[in-house]
Amino acid sequence: MIQAFVLFALFAASDPVKTEEQEFSAVVEGRKIEPEQAIRAFDNDEASHVPGSMGDPFHVVTALPGVSATFSLLPVPAIRGSSPAGTGFLLDGMRVPMLFHLLAGPAVVHPRFIDSVTVYPGGFSTRYGGYIGGIIDGKTRDIEKKKLLIDAQADSTSSSLYVSTQLPRNVRIAASGRYGYPGVFLRLFEPGSSYSYYDYQVRVEGELRNQRWSLSLLGAGDKLQRSQKIGVSSFVDVQFHRLLLKHAWEITPRLRQESQMIFSFDRAQSDPQGKGTSSFGTEARILWMWQMLSWIDVEAGIQGFGRSSRDERVLGASSGGFFEEVPIDDPKVGLGSVGAFVEATLVPLKGLRVTPGARVDAYFSGDTQKVSADGRLRAWYCAWGKQQCLLAVKASTGTFHQPPRLLVAVPGLDFLALNRGLLQSFQNSAGIEARLPGDFLFELQGYYNRMDPLGYEPRLAVTLGSSQIPPTPNAALHGRSYGAEVLLRSMGLKRAFGWVGYTWSKSERSSGDSWYPYDFDRRHQVTLVAGVRLPRDWRFSMRGMYQSGVPVDTERGRSTSRAPGFVRFDVRVDKTFVWRDFNIDFYLDVANVTLSREVGGLAGTEGFRYIFPSLGIKVLL
């Protein structure tokens, strides 16, 4: 497999013909070995051409080492053995209640707004609070400085339109809208089902001397009815809306300030008669970055969040049993949190960077208050290389806290019964990164995470011979996960991209003296992704994936057997035409071309066999 990558690079190193779309692709973060722990960043152009992603850059996260898919048609990743509820989905640091649409849907943000997607599988900065697993953070790009830019796209599951323009006084505005109609395909597998979604974004931004500002309005909604085969409620209608104000100010050449103000409205409904919850919230954050000395950089910030609910009947018997017995706080009381953090990046020796940090958070819900304090430490050392670091050693350790959350994020339900306490994890990792000939990057990393206590964690392991998902909560009080991750990735090829990843991991839970496998524990995962630009503006990419089966219950007891492993192959073909001022891209993206059956976890014991084709056209002016 590695030999194929080397041969592949001989053709890939030559310059491709530059098209209008490539001109606006973002600069990849992490092209050099950076002094950050376990950061994996991908630019828009690379990530959106990963097969099976349907052109959405956020879907690249499921093709990375350490990320386990709970079900390949549901964008609910479990990172390094933690619950999916332990992963934070962010957009420019703003928490998003649902980053993806349901089923195999795209992210709720138009790809044109996305600059890069960064995955922190562990050991992340103290600027991120409220999660004990990993962080997926999307960074938006500046609006193009063009008189007019139009990006229209239509395929077999959705249609979208993006428009941007530049106004006088260096002010720019962009707007997008998308409507999805995947229910047409869903009815082929389950007659009587229906599913549709939408999302929108409007953004205005500008500069004034040493200050930058932006005003964004974004939102999304999904409506799904009857989809019992894949473990989703019989009726789901969710939506969220955000108004975001951002301001960046370079106070002095050594001191910068970034601030955000967010107003939110969420609604979740699990009953066709209208029973559900509506919530209103406000969030604020201020971040300071100070270069204290030539070898000391300090970053500090404060943030606060508050929410009030109008009703809270989204869960219960009407949800088809999936969320029964889930404890929630009294809807008539407000809930929220406040937090503060500080960390310093020190360079005491050439090639050595050490980043200690601390964070404090307070959560409240009615008369219940909980406080957490976290300490974290990251270290990076360049062991070999002068002009460019060719071999680096890195390590991290730290504590992380979060309130109890649902397994699958639901808008308006930020956390569950706070009186059950906060969840905590103690994360440790160490590894190396090496720059190899041919502009490849090799990464080897091991980790050990202790989750204690877990408090509340829904249990979804299925019983062998039954297609029902038991709704009984997991009484686990402790958890642990450990494993090793290997990644070989091309970093500078002009005509190609790709990587090979392997993960060996073990995730366990305990409610007493004995340990048993976690419901989404997968011992082995292998991923191969490769894409190449061909002559005459053709582009081909493929992804192969294998993941071992998840635990299942048998008559012998809890998690005493495993579901079969799952093999999936995806392919994507693009053909670009340039006509006058138009770039026209025809593409075919097919997920699971082999019609493999996925069994276990959210797919149930009977399994789910599918193929997901997307044939579309994209026009760029």
Side-chain angles (χ1 to χ4, degrees):
M1 186 175 293
I2 296 176
Q3 292 176 340
F5 256 64
V6 176
L7 294 174
F8 180 58
L10 296 177
F11 171 78
S14 57
D15 286 317
V17 177
K18 192 173 185 179
T19 66
E20 183 78 5
E21 181 178 1
Q22 298 164 32
E23 183 178 340
F24 285 100
S25 65
V27 177
V28 178
E29 297 182 24
R31 283 303 192 199
K32 299 179 181 179
I33 297 179
E34 296 291 347
E36 284 289 348
Q37 175 63 23
I39 293 180
R40 293 159 188 165
F42 296 82
D43 75 320
N44 185 303
D45 183 68
E46 179 180 11
S48 61
H49 282 86
V50 173
S53 67
M54 307 303 165
D56 191 278
F58 276 102
H59 274 279
V60 71
V61 301
T62 59
L64 295 176
V67 181
S68 175
T70 55
F71 178 42
S72 57
L73 277 183
L74 287 175
V76 186
I79 296 181
R80 287 186 175 175
S82 66
S83 168
T87 298
F89 297 114
L90 308 175
L91 182 66
D92 284 338
M94 176 184 67
R95 294 179 299 175
V96 182
M98 46 181 284
L99 182 59
F100 297 96
H101 292 288
L102 300 177
L103 302 185
V108 297
V109 181
H110 192 282
R112 198 76 198 176
F113 281 97
I114 301 302
D115 179 22
S116 62
V117 178
T118 306
V119 181
Y120 301 84
F124 42 85
S125 166
T126 53
R127 77 157 60 182
Y128 299 108
Y131 298 97
I132 64 171
I135 295 292
I136 300 171
D137 195 356
K139 179 183 178 183
T140 60
R141 66 172 68 180
D142 294 337
I143 300 175
E144 294 85 351
K145 295 182 178 181
K146 294 188 64 176
K147 185 176 181 180
L148 180 65
L149 176 66
I150 299 177
D151 185 338
Q153 184 171 343
D155 58 36
S156 51
T157 59
S158 66
S159 298
S160 65
L161 177 65
Y162 171 96
V163 180
S164 69
T165 186
Q166 181 157 343
L167 304 176
R169 299 182 182 275
N170 206 23
V171 174
R172 300 174 297 279
I173 183 171
S176 70
R178 173 167 46 193
Y179 180 76
Y181 32 83
V184 175
F185 287 94
L186 184 61
R187 282 190 289 271
L188 297 178
F189 298 97
E190 188 178 341
S193 296
S194 63
Y195 174 44
S196 62
Y197 62 81
Y198 69 88
D199 59 66
Y200 66 91
Q201 298 91 38
V202 179
R203 179 173 176 176
V204 183
E205 66 181 26
E207 297 93 19
L208 181 62
R209 296 180 182 176
N210 58 344
Q211 302 181 54
R212 303 183 63 183
W213 60 269
S214 66
L215 174 64
S216 302
L217 179 65
L218 65 152
D222 288 63
K223 188 173 183 179
L224 169 67
Q225 188 166 9
R226 292 186 56 84
S227 189
Q228 298 290 353
K229 280 190 176 182
I230 55 175
V232 180
S233 304
S234 58
F235 183 87
V236 175
D237 188 354
V238 294
Q239 59 179 287
F240 79 91
H241 307 273
R242 295 291 184 273
L243 176 63
L244 168 63
L245 294 85
K246 293 176 56 180
H247 178 261
W249 179 20
E250 185 176 331
I251 303 174
T252 71
R254 289 176 174 266
L255 179 63
R256 290 183 298 145
Q257 174 183 291
E258 294 181 0
S259 56
Q260 290 185 352
M261 190 70 184
I262 304 163
F263 301 93
S264 63
F265 170 75
D266 297 348
R267 177 159 179 81
Q269 181 180 335
S270 62
D271 190 312
Q273 279 70 47
K275 293 183 178 180
T277 178
S278 297
S279 66
F280 300 85
T282 304
E283 184 174 354
R285 184 179 71 164
I286 302 178
L287 175 67
W288 295 277
M289 291 156 285
W290 178 32
Q291 186 180 10
M292 180 184 296
L293 299 172
S294 60
W295 58 281
I296 302 179
D297 288 337
V298 178
E299 185 173 293
I302 56 175
Q303 62 187 68
F305 161 76
R307 194 202 78 190
S308 62
S309 298
R310 188 171 59 191
D311 195 4
E312 196 90 36
R313 291 176 292 173
V314 64
L315 305 179
S318 62
S319 63
F322 186 70
F323 288 129
E324 287 186 28
E325 307 298 332
V326 174
I328 58 176
D329 284 315
D330 186 344
K332 299 180 178 60
V333 301
L335 56 86
S337 66
V338 292
F341 76 91
V342 61
E343 68 177 23
T345 300
L346 313 176
V347 188
L349 301 173
K350 183 178 180 181
L352 173 64
R353 299 202 183 194
V354 181
T355 306
R359 181 180 184 94
V360 177
D361 290 280
Y363 302 89
F364 59 88
S365 177
D367 296 330
T368 304
Q369 294 88 32
K370 300 293 181 180
V371 178
S372 65
D374 295 325
R376 303 173 194 175
L377 177 66
R378 306 192 307 275
W380 180 91
Y381 176 65
C382 180
W384 182 34
K386 295 182 179 180
Q387 299 297 328
Q388 182 183 48
C389 186
L390 301 178
L391 177 64
V393 181
K394 59 186 181 180
S396 74
T397 185
T399 57
F400 304 78
H401 285 84
Q402 75 168 57
R405 291 191 178 93
L406 288 173
L407 180 76
V408 180
V410 176
L413 294 177
D414 300 277
F415 46 83
L416 304 178
L418 191 60
N419 58 5
R420 295 205 172 194
L422 299 176
L423 285 64
Q424 175 181 281
S425 70
F426 180 47
Q427 300 185 6
N428 306 273
S429 66
I432 63 171
E433 290 182 349
R435 176 77 65 171
L436 303 179
D439 215 3
F440 285 88
L441 182 66
F442 173 79
E443 178 183 338
L444 172 63
Q445 188 152 270
Y447 66 89
Y448 177 83
N449 298 338
R450 179 80 181 199
M451 293 156 275
D452 186 8
L454 278 176
Y456 175 83
E457 186 176 71
R459 180 147 201 273
L460 294 176
V462 297
T463 303
L464 196 62
S466 170
S467 61
Q468 300 299 317
I469 298 179
T472 55
N474 187 356
L477 300 177
H478 315 283
R480 65 186 181 189
S481 63
Y482 47 94
E485 303 164 357
V486 181
L487 179 67
L488 177 65
R489 179 184 174 192
S490 66
M491 298 298 292
L493 302 180
K494 298 178 181 178
R495 279 189 173 268
F497 71 92
W499 63 89
V500 180
Y502 170 72
T503 302
W504 177 88
S505 63
K506 194 172 183 179
S507 180
E508 300 174 310
R509 299 294 186 266
S510 173
S511 55
D513 298 330
S514 61
W515 292 88
Y516 52 88
Y518 178 47
D519 296 342
F520 298 118
D521 173 54
R522 298 184 187 273
R523 296 294 171 84
H524 304 279
Q525 294 185 82
V526 183
T527 302
L528 168 64
V529 176
V532 61
R533 296 182 186 273
L534 302 172
R536 299 183 181 275
D537 293 326
W538 284 89
R539 189 167 184 168
F540 174 80
S541 53
M542 60 82 62
R543 173 170 68 169
M545 177 186 71
Y546 166 77
Q547 53 188 18
S548 56
V550 296
V552 294
D553 295 344
T554 69
E555 58 184 11
R556 295 175 313 203
R558 168 183 271 184
S559 300
T560 51
S561 183
R562 285 186 177 268
F566 178 59
V567 178
R568 168 176 157 177
F569 287 94
D570 308 330
V571 296
R572 181 182 174 100
V573 179
D574 291 76
K575 169 60 178 176
T576 302
F577 298 91
V578 180
W579 179 69
R580 296 184 178 179
D581 294 329
F582 293 88
N583 272 19
I584 305 175
D585 181 24
F586 293 93
Y587 60 89
L588 174 64
D589 194 327
V590 184
N592 197 22
V593 295
T594 55
L595 273 172
S596 300
R597 180 185 296 274
E598 187 171 1
V599 180
L602 295 179
T605 53
E606 295 182 359
F608 193 75
R609 190 186 300 274
Y610 66 91
I611 184 171
F612 202 89
S614 179
L615 178 64
I617 179 175
K618 180 178 180 179
V619 180
L620 182 65
L621 172 61

